[in-house]
Amino acid sequence: MKEVIYRFAVETDWVEELARSHGGYMRGNFTIAPEDVFTGTHYVLQVSENVTVMLVDATYHQDVLYKPQNSTADFAGIYFNLTEGESVHIMDNVSKSVGRWNYNLAIVDGEFNTDYMIKSGSKCYSISLFVKKSILREYLSKTGVLNEVVNRVFDEEQNTLIHYAHMSSASWHLINEFRKNIPGSISFNLLLGGLVYNLLANCLEGIMKREIMISKVLPSDLTMILTSQSNLIKKQEGVFPGIAALAAEANMSETKYKNLYKKITGYTPNAFFLNNKLELARDLLSRGQYTVGELAEKLSFTSASHLSEQFKNYFKMSPKEYTASL
Amino acid sequence: MEEGKKISGIDDKNQLVLPNDIAKGCSYFMEVMPGLMCLIVDHSLQRSIELTKTVNAEDFYIAYFDLSDEIDILQTKGGAKIDYQSKLGMVVVDGSLKSSYTSSPKIYSFWLIISRPLLRKYLFGNIDSSDSIVFSSHIDSRTRLCLLKLKMKNYNDPSFELSVRGTTLQVLGYLVERINEIGPILGKLSELDTTQVIKTQAHMMEQLLGAFPGIDFLAAEAGMSISKYKKLFKRIFKESPNSYFLREKLNLAQVLLKSGNFKSINEVANELGHAKPGYFAAVYKKQFGQLPGEVFNKSTS
């Protein structure tokens, strides 16, 4: 296993260090790593004085443990991850995996350091944006959010910028379209810059749809919530364990647990659990092995009609309509 | 752009609004990075106006993308009356060439204004500082797609500025690829010659339903010798006048076939002056890879 200690920033003076701690070197915008670490593209571009992008399209050939050590906090990281499979693991501070990353989009304060591991054999594709908080603040003000709220969002005493989510399909399509371009080709920097701004526009639209929750989050809180969520996913066929049990498991008061859960994931534990169940129901339906009745029983819905109703609520079509559309 | 400012009040930092009796809608101007600006013109004109770009931007190239409503097919008693305007969609000119156009009533256009040093950075090979870059073409599908996405957005959205920045860089990226591919790096062109040649192209587009006007006619119209005309045309449009005309005719054929205004393919072929339907089908297939019958929408009326 390789340990990589690094830091990020909008200014790109860290790239050289990152290359070195991989045991590699820089060639223009590319970081070249030894072949037994990873092969593929690792590319950093400063798009403007406020935004830098890092593109990773690589296959890992050994486990790499990343330990970010950012001390300055004038930026936030926005991470888009299209890696497939169970490859990115969030670690707690004793380097024990607390579960894999279930999200493909994270917006996290630059100062907020979480260790993570990329497993050997993983094919990674990620786009990381490092954006100055000052410009994020400007954009957030434009959305009509009250100044007082904006001030609190960026007040480190009161709030931690942290937001795990699923990227919009628009972002997903943008990135997939972008993947057709060849790194280093003459138009590559222009198209990468274009991608960055389009992704930022999508993010801003996404944030506007979400309730803003102000609270402090510590790295240990994050690992707790993510662990709790992994456990919920393991129990997804059963009934909802209840907030009291979940909070006890996470060693928090119920209020703290509920607030943190919603702050980080955007959903209440209950809603997350139900949505996840419905996604699973859809997967199983598309494989055609179950009737709606059997599925309701398997997934612990009180009845087939209850499942149908919730399904329709979430996907805007009934299970029958969904199966017919396949 | 000067013309926008002259007749407008500035509403927001980036929005230009025309007086309501001239047009509804707005324009949006932004400097995306040093040497790269973009202008969006989105108007429903209340009366016809002519926009003239005056020569005040010698150090810039201008790429113009037109996404206005492309075709009006008016149904009249005698059949379909077609108003197929010259819609190449994409024009790249040197800032030093004067150009003007009368716009269709509903304009949506996207302009890139690129400084010479910036564009040079992205071009292969050496370009002499006296060279002009001029070409007209159809908007490629990637560019069209990202411009259409932008067109759907609302100017007042907080994310609009970011979308404009993103789109501008993307469009410039595609443009750079395209210029490098077709290499439209030309020698110095005279403004008059260019205007004349573009005029004959517009004339051809109006005559698409008929037969090819003939190279001697077009050259005479442009006021130059046949050989000079052919050479210039090819430099600007990347093909000979004849093959350009045929290709545009078939593009129109495709629009008509899909329009649902005709009862048979023969009718479309006749409309376009093709006497032999079999020949029409053959040339159509050669260009689009499928037979007219495969895209034809039959009129239901």
Side-chain angles (χ1 to χ4, degrees):
Chain A
M1 189 180 75
K2 190 170 192 65
E3 260 191 37
V4 174
I5 295 173
Y6 68 97
R7 65 186 181 88
F8 288 142
V10 176
E11 296 75 24
T12 52
D13 50 348
W14 49 272
V15 186
E16 187 93 47
E17 290 166 38
L18 179 66
R20 270 206 310 273
S21 51
H22 275 102
Y25 59 94
M26 296 290 304
R27 196 165 63 209
N29 298 63
F30 293 93
T31 295
I32 315 289
E35 282 187 3
D36 61 338
V37 180
F38 69 75
T39 49
T41 307
H42 189 292
Y43 193 90
V44 179
L45 174 72
Q46 180 158 10
V47 179
S48 76
E49 55 179 356
N50 295 312
V51 190
T52 289
V53 57
M54 176 173 86
L55 163 75
V56 178
D57 180 6
T59 306
Y60 278 75
H61 304 293
Q62 55 173 287
D63 291 357
V64 180
L65 175 64
Y66 286 95
K67 289 173 160 283
Q69 298 198 337
N70 287 315
S71 46
T72 53
D74 67 336
F75 73 99
I78 304 180
Y79 306 95
F80 295 85
N81 193 348
L82 269 74
T83 304
E84 280 168 25
E86 304 202 0
S87 49
V88 182
H89 290 251
I90 309 276
M91 314 297 278
D92 67 12
N93 35 15
V94 286
S95 297
K96 189 165 63 85
S97 168
V98 298
R100 75 180 178 89
W101 216 52
N102 291 303
Y103 298 93
N104 55 23
L105 169 63
I107 304 176
V108 182
D109 194 303
E111 212 180 8
F112 194 91
N113 299 315
T114 323
D115 295 357
Y116 61 96
M117 159 124 71
I118 299 180
K119 292 282 195 188
S120 175
S122 303
K123 282 188 169 43
C124 276
Y125 193 93
S126 68
I127 302 227
S128 311
L129 313 182
F130 309 112
V131 188
K132 284 263 165 76
K133 281 183 193 167
S134 54
I135 194 97
L136 283 178
R137 201 188 165 107
E138 216 173 278
Y139 286 125
L140 193 61
S141 307
K142 278 195 212 157
T143 63
V145 172
L146 293 174
N147 260 337
E148 190 217 349
V149 178
V150 176
N151 286 340
R152 290 179 66 200
V153 166
F154 289 95
D155 180 354
E156 284 156 32
E157 301 291 314
Q158 292 189 44
N159 186 45
T160 310
L161 287 179
I162 187 160
H163 174 105
Y164 279 67
H166 291 282
M167 69 176 83
S168 66
S169 60
S171 300
W172 192 85
H173 283 297
L174 278 173
I175 295 175
N176 271 311
E177 182 63 32
F178 174 78
R179 285 180 82 160
K180 294 175 190 157
N181 299 307
I182 303 153
S185 64
I186 189 124
S187 57
F188 190 71
N189 284 355
L190 290 170
L191 296 173
L192 184 56
L195 175 73
V196 167
Y197 285 115
N198 285 326
L199 287 176
L200 282 174
N202 285 349
C203 269
L204 195 63
E205 282 160 23
I207 288 170
M208 282 160 60
K209 288 184 196 139
R210 216 161 126 164
E211 195 182 323
I212 295 179
M213 297 195 52
I214 309 281
S215 68
K216 275 302 274 183
V217 179
L218 299 170
S220 58
D221 294 333
L222 176 69
T223 49
M224 271 302 183
I225 294 296
L226 291 178
T227 311
S228 179
Q229 193 167 60
S230 290
N231 291 339
L232 266 183
I233 291 169
K234 282 182 203 142
K235 292 175 194 151
Q236 62 189 353
E237 291 190 5
V239 290
F240 185 62
I243 296 287
L246 291 169
E249 206 179 36
N251 251 336
M252 296 177 195
S253 75
E254 288 183 32
T255 325
K256 183 176 181 195
Y257 177 79
K258 278 201 295 199
N259 282 343
L260 271 178
Y261 201 100
K262 181 142 196 217
K263 157 98 178 153
I264 293 167
T265 71
Y267 294 103
T268 64
N270 216 332
F272 170 80
F273 190 71
L274 179 64
N275 293 349
N276 205 50
K277 228 182 227 298
L278 292 167
E279 296 275 358
L280 179 67
R282 186 178 63 165
D283 279 358
L284 293 173
L285 268 180
S286 65
R287 280 183 229 154
Q289 294 165 342
Y290 298 96
T291 65
V292 179
E294 285 165 349
L295 211 54
E297 194 171 330
K298 183 174 168 57
L299 299 179
S300 312
F301 283 92
T302 50
S303 66
S305 63
H306 182 225
L307 167 61
S308 295
E309 193 187 315
Q310 299 289 351
F311 195 94
K312 188 155 189 185
N313 233 337
Y314 187 67
F315 293 113
K316 308 292 171 230
M317 57 168 99
S318 71
K320 281 219 176 87
E321 286 165 337
Y322 176 72
T323 347
S325 74
L326 292 174
Chain B
M1 300 305 302
E2 286 303 316
E3 74 274 12
K5 279 182 188 156
K6 266 184 205 157
I7 48 175
S8 73
I10 295 173
D11 182 37
D12 191 354
K13 192 175 72 178
N14 300 324
Q15 286 185 30
L16 315 171
V17 179
L18 292 174
N20 267 343
D21 59 326
I22 297 179
K24 289 190 175 129
C26 79
S27 301
Y28 189 96
F29 177 81
M30 185 162 83
E31 181 172 13
V32 174
M33 59 187 205
L36 178 63
M37 285 155 277
C38 102
L39 172 72
I40 300 166
V41 181
D42 182 5
H43 286 132
S44 296
L45 293 181
Q46 306 296 306
R47 58 178 195 235
S48 182
I49 54 170
E50 189 181 80
L51 302 176
T52 304
K53 182 179 73 62
T54 46
V55 187
N56 58 358
E58 290 200 18
D59 292 329
F60 289 90
Y61 293 109
I62 293 167
Y64 163 80
F65 302 88
D66 189 353
L67 271 86
S68 311
D69 297 344
E70 288 196 44
I71 186 165
D72 304 310
I73 296 177
L74 304 168
Q75 196 73 36
T76 58
K77 267 185 191 163
K81 179 175 170 280
I82 296 130
D83 179 18
Y84 187 70
Q85 293 194 326
S86 155
K87 276 297 149 57
L88 276 170
M90 170 176 164
V91 181
V92 181
V93 290
D94 218 293
S96 59
L97 298 176
K98 185 179 172 196
S99 62
S100 86
Y101 69 98
T102 313
S103 54
S104 51
K106 262 194 145 169
I107 325 174
Y108 186 93
S109 62
F110 184 89
W111 309 57
L112 288 183
I113 301 143
I114 316 156
S115 78
R116 256 166 220 272
L118 183 76
L119 190 62
R120 293 257 156 82
K121 223 174 87 186
Y122 291 107
L123 298 182
F124 294 130
N126 295 319
I127 320 165
D128 196 292
S129 60
S130 65
D131 284 348
S132 308
I133 295 183
V134 178
F135 74 101
S136 307
S137 175
H138 287 280
I139 303 179
D140 55 289
S141 56
R142 292 186 305 174
T143 306
R144 176 177 295 275
L145 211 65
C146 70
L147 288 177
L148 285 176
K149 263 192 215 161
L150 184 67
K151 193 178 171 182
M152 311 255 293
K153 308 236 167 180
N154 188 322
Y155 292 94
N156 297 316
D157 277 351
S159 60
F160 189 74
E161 184 208 318
L162 287 166
S163 302
V164 172
R165 279 180 197 277
T167 307
T168 305
L169 290 175
Q170 228 179 333
V171 168
L172 179 61
Y174 294 149
L175 179 67
V176 160
E177 281 177 20
R178 209 141 164 223
I179 294 180
N180 282 318
E181 227 166 78
I182 55 182
I185 296 156
L186 310 160
K188 188 77 183 161
L189 291 178
S190 104
E191 183 187 316
L192 181 69
D193 287 350
T194 313
T195 316
Q196 290 302 94
V197 170
I198 290 176
K199 253 189 203 160
T200 65
Q201 175 262 342
H203 181 88
M204 267 198 269
M205 295 297 281
E206 283 159 19
Q207 302 291 319
L208 277 183
L209 293 181
F212 182 60
I215 202 85
D216 36 0
F217 174 83
L218 292 168
E221 201 186 47
M224 51 186 88
S225 74
I226 292 177
S227 60
K228 182 179 177 189
Y229 173 74
K230 272 160 89 171
K231 210 164 122 192
L232 266 180
F233 192 96
K234 203 159 178 184
R235 276 168 121 177
I236 296 172
F237 295 101
K238 305 295 156 207
E239 58 191 325
S240 75
N242 199 354
S243 67
Y244 178 86
F245 183 79
L246 286 176
R247 203 164 50 79
E248 285 304 323
K249 201 177 176 80
L250 288 169
N251 282 340
L252 174 60
Q254 192 178 43
V255 175
L256 296 183
L257 285 167
K258 289 179 178 169
S259 71
N261 286 329
F262 295 88
K263 289 201 168 59
S264 69
I265 295 171
N266 269 356
E267 243 181 64
V268 178
N270 282 337
E271 189 72 40
L272 289 162
H274 281 283
K276 294 179 193 160
Y279 175 72
F280 169 63
V283 289
Y284 188 89
K285 180 153 188 186
K286 200 174 161 207
Q287 178 163 327
F288 295 109
Q290 53 187 163
L291 287 166
E294 293 173 61
V295 295
F296 183 59
N297 273 332
K298 202 174 169 195
S299 161
T300 47
S301 62

